[in-house]
């Protein structure tokens, strides 16, 4: 399976990470001696299931490397445009490609084993969108100070991950839907509202189970979705805040020293 890494984000002066980036790409912020994206590329390069990597938002002269073939695309603007550009590029160079691994550049704790687990889990079924979810217990056991936002379901509290799988054909068309989904990706209530306010009410009152949420979401969005409970909190530990960056710097630095 080919992978698309989105790396075009530049924190603005009002963003919490701006003092660390100073108008430069977040993907290149140093984490334990490497650009943040390099940790991700190391994991993809060591993976047994990834063939090549499309990087959206970085120039080919960026000081990064990967043992798998890399293709660089310019930043196309918003996240939707970058995701589409990456998938379109993979479809152009490999028309037989059915699924694409979507990876954010700000999950430096990811490993090759986690990449392979994600790909192999998706290949177990026929869906359009495979979305990894991590329970509160799993996340807070590994990163107790991460302060992630959790969705309170009837049967579990979960947060989303930043490495998922999408079917190429599902990414084509319906620009308004995808734009709304990406705009709502950090707000579960906006996500629920997209598939109906009945879903939002059930969510608010904790009457909605994970299985029911997937069923309602798939029907409302016209996609065959599958939620996967992921045992690997590393792909939910993205860098949005300075304290999350410092947690990962300490964690990965300690592992490297060991």
């Amino acid at each position: 399976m080919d992978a698309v890494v989105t790396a075009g984000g530049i924190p603005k002066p009002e963003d919490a990470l701006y003092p660390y980036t100073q108008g430069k790409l977040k993907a290149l912020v140093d984490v334990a001696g490497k650009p943040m994206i390099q940790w991700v590329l190391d994991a993809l390069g060591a993976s047994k299931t990834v063939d090549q990597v499309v990087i959206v938002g970085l120039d080919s002269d960026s000081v990064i490397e990967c043992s798998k073939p890399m293709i660089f695309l310019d930043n196309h603007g918003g996240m939707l445009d970058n995701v589409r550009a990456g998938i379109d590029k993979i479809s152009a160079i490999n028309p037989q490609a059915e699924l694409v691994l979507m990876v954010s550049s700000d999950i430096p704790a990811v490993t090759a084993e986690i990449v392979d687990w994600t790909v192999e889990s998706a290949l177990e079924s026929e869906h359009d969108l495979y979305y990894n979810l991590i329970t509160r217990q799993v996340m807070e056991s590994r990163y107790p100070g991460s302060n992630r936002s959790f969705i309170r379901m009837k049967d579990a509290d979960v947060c989303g991950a930043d490495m998922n799988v999408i079917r190429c054909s599902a990414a084509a068309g319906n620009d308004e839907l995808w734009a709304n989904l990406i705009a709502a990706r950090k707000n579960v209530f906006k996500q629920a509202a997209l598939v109906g306010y009945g879903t939002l009410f059930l969510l608010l009152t904790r009457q909605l189970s994970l299985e029911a949420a997937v069923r309602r979401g798939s029907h409302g969005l016209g996609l065959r979705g599958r939620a996967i409970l992921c045992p690997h909190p590393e792909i939910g530990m993205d860098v949005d805040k300075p304290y999350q960056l410092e947690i990962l710097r300490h964690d990965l630095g300690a592992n490297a020293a060991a």
Side-chain angles (χ1 to χ4, degrees):
M1 189 181 297
D2 296 329
V4 172
V5 179
T6 51
I10 301 177
K12 297 178 181 178
E14 61 270 23
D15 293 334
L17 284 175
Y18 185 80
Y20 294 81
T21 58
Q22 295 293 314
K24 298 180 181 179
L25 289 163
K26 184 172 78 168
L28 299 179
V29 167
D30 181 84
V31 177
K34 299 181 189 179
M36 181 155 49
I37 191 176
Q38 186 60 60
W39 291 93
V40 177
L41 294 175
D42 289 347
L44 295 173
S47 163
K48 297 180 295 185
T49 54
V50 170
D51 298 315
Q52 58 188 341
V53 181
V54 173
I55 302 172
V56 187
L58 286 185
D59 297 324
S60 58
D61 58 356
S62 300
V63 187
I64 56 173
E65 58 185 16
C66 184
S67 61
K68 303 291 174 63
M70 290 189 295
I71 300 165
F72 293 86
L73 296 180
D74 292 337
N75 190 347
H76 281 62
M79 182 175 287
L80 174 65
D81 297 317
N82 286 338
V83 168
R84 283 284 180 79
I87 293 176
D88 287 348
K89 186 63 176 180
I90 285 177
S91 297
I93 61 180
N94 181 12
Q96 304 304 313
E98 296 184 1
L99 299 172
V100 175
L101 179 68
M102 299 300 308
V103 190
S104 174
S105 62
D106 64 350
I107 50 170
V110 66
T111 65
E113 291 74 21
I114 299 174
V115 171
D116 291 334
W117 181 91
T118 300
V119 171
E120 290 163 0
S121 295
L123 293 176
E124 294 173 352
S125 63
E126 290 285 333
H127 288 82
D128 297 321
L129 179 63
Y130 304 81
Y131 191 68
N132 282 313
L133 295 171
I134 302 160
T135 66
R136 182 188 295 272
Q137 180 180 6
V138 168
M139 176 59 73
E140 293 187 344
S141 294
R142 177 69 174 85
Y143 298 109
S146 60
N147 196 27
R148 306 252 43 115
S149 297
F150 291 91
I151 306 167
R152 302 189 69 189
M153 312 297 294
K154 181 180 180 180
D155 47 357
D157 291 355
V158 296
C159 65
D162 282 80
M163 184 165 66
N164 301 288
V165 175
I166 185 171
R167 190 167 298 277
C168 292
S169 58
N174 208 339
D175 286 0
E176 183 178 359
L177 168 63
W178 283 101
N180 288 337
L181 280 173
I182 288 174
R185 70 189 185 281
K186 298 292 185 180
N187 189 315
V188 63
F189 301 113
K190 289 182 180 180
Q191 293 170 19
L194 286 174
V195 295
Y197 283 94
T199 299
L200 178 58
F201 173 78
L202 292 174
L203 181 63
L204 287 170
T205 56
R206 294 204 72 176
Q207 298 181 56
L208 194 63
S209 68
L210 183 57
E211 180 181 356
V214 172
R215 186 169 61 250
R216 281 173 169 264
S218 296
H219 177 74
L221 299 174
L223 295 172
R224 297 173 300 165
R226 176 184 164 204
I228 302 173
L229 286 179
C230 175
H232 303 291
E234 290 82 0
I235 60 173
M237 188 58 183
D238 56 346
V239 177
D240 284 332
K241 301 290 190 297
Y243 64 85
Q244 293 161 351
L245 175 59
E246 294 303 333
I247 287 172
L248 287 168
R249 281 176 167 175
H250 179 269
D251 189 71
L252 292 171
N255 290 341

